[in-house]
Amino acid sequence: MAAAAIGRACSYGAFRAAWRGFASVPVKGSCCSYSSLAWAFQTRCSISAPWNVMVQQCRQSSFFNTLTADELWKGALAETGVGVKKGRGKRRKKKLRKNLNRGQEIGEGRSGFLWPGLNAPVIQSGRVQAVTQRKKEERERIQSEIVQQRDTWEKRRKIKVKREGGWSGKCWGGVLLDPPDPGPNGETYEDFETRVIEVKNVFCMKAKEGRKKSIRALVAVGNGKGAAGFAMGKAGDRMNALRKAKNKAIRCLHFIETYQNHTIYHDITVKFKSTTIRMKKQNKGYGLHCHRAIITICKLIGIEDMYAKVSGSKNLINITRALFKGLTQQETHQQLANQKSLYVVEFREEQGPLPIVVALPEGNVREDPEPEDEVPDTKLEWSDVKEAQGMKKSPWVNVRRTVW
């Protein structure tokens, strides 16, 4: 009866789509199409009178079929809500996506069925396999292995990786990182040490998303033999920002000359924006009396003895840029001798008032004295002048002490 009714509807051309979103089914020998057969029968069926008709259910309007996995995750994690666009809920713990397919095997279940093509071969020993079921002992063993594997993942996820302490407390400055990733040709950087200088949260205003947060990391690398570099990396999370920064820093290396492998060649005064650094050459065993960021970078370079004072802005990016600017612009004794065509001498404590020649010019020595235009106009620091003349007072001189 149903087949005859369908044939009559097709012959008169009165069969219409009753529901939106279902696939049209062409009928052999006719220009008509059935759109609601899948809804009417809710199953796959075959009609052979008066025409051969194949009907297959196809729901295109389902909630789970129309949305992709990314769109479903965005809804579950509230990544596209109004609160996120306006930068609200910053103190809430961020939810992360989970790999729901992890630990799942297609065809495996508590019943222990073996489905050919899923968890069992289709053909074995030249015969097509049928659906079978595992024995009870084998089912229990497989289920216990799956549970044990999930417990291992949970414990691994809860374990916190201990990192080396930085300059102070929970500060990321001075923290030691792994070496940079290998290069495209397979070169490794195991002899380079990587240190974090700064990790900071930065925000950017977007038209649609509003106040968008990202992480900016400043990282320095060095091998302790004069080769060092620094770079910044920015990403949505901290680890990606650190990885980007260290891989970028290894491609921006500077070679810095050191005097007798322990200090700089001469005193340097350098300025970058509103940050000024005065660096002084020191004797062996003096140590590093500097800003903590400068100490970290000097150890990466291989400088062991130096005094440095930072004045002006204490911005870590400005300090790092000013330090590398000054160290790369310093002149060795030989370069200074060739430039001036004069002997370069040095006064040392052990020699008293007698100078020591440390570099000779490669060409002829100039007999005329150095012109006044070439004499550097060195600005003296008033604090150094007072200290040299014995005028520097203790900061506790004018402090009133309470007598008990």
Side-chain angles (χ1 to χ4, degrees):
M1 294 295 292
I6 293 172
R8 287 195 299 272
C10 179
S11 62
Y12 289 103
F15 201 84
R16 296 289 185 266
W19 298 89
R20 295 180 61 188
F22 292 93
S24 299
V25 182
V27 182
K28 296 181 181 180
S30 174
C31 60
C32 301
S33 62
Y34 299 123
S35 299
S36 61
L37 292 180
W39 178 260
F41 292 98
Q42 289 290 319
T43 182
R44 182 184 297 181
C45 58
S46 176
I47 302 174
S48 59
W51 298 282
N52 292 327
V53 180
M54 290 295 298
V55 180
Q56 184 176 3
Q57 182 179 5
C58 184
R59 294 192 179 185
Q60 297 293 342
S61 62
S62 172
F63 173 79
F64 297 100
N65 289 348
T66 55
L67 297 179
T68 61
D70 291 336
E71 292 172 346
L72 291 173
W73 272 115
K74 284 181 180 179
L77 303 178
E79 294 179 355
T80 57
V82 179
V84 175
K85 290 181 181 179
K86 293 185 178 180
R88 295 175 183 163
K90 295 188 290 292
R91 292 181 179 86
R92 245 181 352 181
K93 189 175 181 181
K94 185 179 179 181
K95 297 179 182 179
L96 301 176
R97 295 190 182 191
K98 294 182 180 179
N99 185 6
L100 300 180
N101 296 325
R102 189 176 184 182
Q104 303 290 340
E105 296 182 10
I106 298 177
E108 291 293 344
R110 295 181 180 179
S111 302
F113 283 100
L114 293 174
W115 305 95
L118 294 180
N119 56 348
V122 179
I123 299 176
Q124 190 174 7
S125 301
R127 298 179 59 186
V128 178
Q129 297 295 313
V131 178
T132 56
Q133 190 176 11
R134 289 194 180 98
K135 295 182 180 180
K136 185 178 180 180
E137 294 80 7
E138 190 175 0
R139 276 183 285 167
E140 293 177 353
R141 180 181 59 81
I142 293 175
Q143 287 298 319
S144 63
E145 290 177 358
I146 293 174
V147 171
Q148 185 178 1
Q149 190 177 16
R150 288 174 183 169
D151 293 342
T152 305
W153 287 335
E154 284 293 325
K155 291 179 182 178
R156 194 177 301 171
R157 186 176 63 86
K158 293 179 181 178
I159 293 175
K160 293 184 178 180
V161 179
K162 293 184 179 180
R163 58 180 175 87
E164 183 184 346
W167 296 329
S168 62
K170 296 182 179 179
C171 174
W172 272 89
V175 173
L176 178 66
L177 299 180
D178 295 332
D181 298 337
N185 299 325
E187 59 271 15
T188 58
Y189 306 100
E190 297 296 334
D191 53 340
F192 278 84
E193 187 176 331
T194 308
R195 292 279 179 176
V196 180
I197 305 299
E198 184 185 30
V199 175
K200 193 173 182 180
N201 297 337
V202 293
F203 297 89
C204 179
M205 291 299 294
K206 298 287 185 179
K208 293 184 179 180
E209 301 178 12
R211 194 163 175 256
K212 187 177 180 181
K213 176 186 172 183
S214 57
I215 309 295
R216 184 187 67 194
L218 176 62
V219 173
V221 298
N223 62 352
K225 300 177 182 178
F230 71 98
M232 287 187 292
K234 189 183 291 186
D237 58 313
R238 187 186 297 114
M239 300 314 297
N240 278 337
L242 294 172
R243 179 182 54 81
K244 287 182 181 180
K246 70 180 181 180
N247 291 339
K248 187 178 177 182
I250 201 66
R251 300 194 297 267
C252 307
L253 294 178
H254 304 268
F255 184 74
I256 297 168
E257 298 279 355
T258 55
Y259 179 63
Q260 295 182 352
N261 298 326
H262 76 95
T263 186
I264 56 179
Y265 275 89
H266 53 82
D267 296 350
I268 303 170
T269 301
V270 62
K271 184 176 181 180
F272 181 83
K273 292 186 178 181
S274 58
T275 300
T276 304
I277 302 179
R278 293 191 303 112
M279 293 172 272
K280 291 185 178 181
K281 174 184 176 181
Q282 299 296 338
N283 296 327
K284 187 77 173 177
Y286 179 83
L288 293 170
H289 296 186
C290 328
H291 189 277
R292 58 186 184 181
I294 298 178
I295 292 176
T296 301
I297 297 173
C298 286
K299 288 180 180 179
L300 295 176
I301 295 171
I303 299 174
E304 300 173 1
D305 308 291
M306 189 181 73
Y307 170 82
K309 183 176 182 180
V310 180
S311 57
S313 174
K314 302 300 190 295
N315 186 294
L316 291 177
I317 298 177
N318 290 354
I319 291 175
T320 305
R321 290 184 181 274
L323 179 64
F324 274 90
K325 179 183 176 182
L327 292 177
T328 52
Q329 289 179 355
Q330 69 172 336
E331 296 176 339
T332 63
H333 293 160
Q334 189 61 45
Q335 290 174 350
L336 189 61
N338 295 338
Q339 179 184 351
K340 301 290 185 180
S341 297
L342 295 171
Y343 292 101
V344 177
V345 297
E346 186 178 26
F347 292 93
R348 295 179 184 172
E349 239 179 83
E350 60 269 18
Q351 294 292 333
L354 301 177
I356 300 175
V357 178
V358 293
L360 300 174
E362 294 180 355
N364 297 327
V365 179
R366 185 172 61 187
E367 297 179 358
D368 301 331
E370 192 174 9
E372 294 184 1
D373 298 338
E374 297 184 8
V375 176
D377 185 13
T378 305
K379 294 183 179 180
L380 299 177
E381 292 288 333
W382 180 237
S383 59
D384 297 342
V385 174
K386 289 197 298 183
E387 186 178 358
Q389 295 179 354
M391 298 168 56
K392 190 173 182 180
K393 296 181 180 180
S394 171
W396 302 98
V397 170
N398 298 324
V399 177
R400 294 182 179 181
R401 295 176 174 85
T402 304
V403 179
W404 297 95

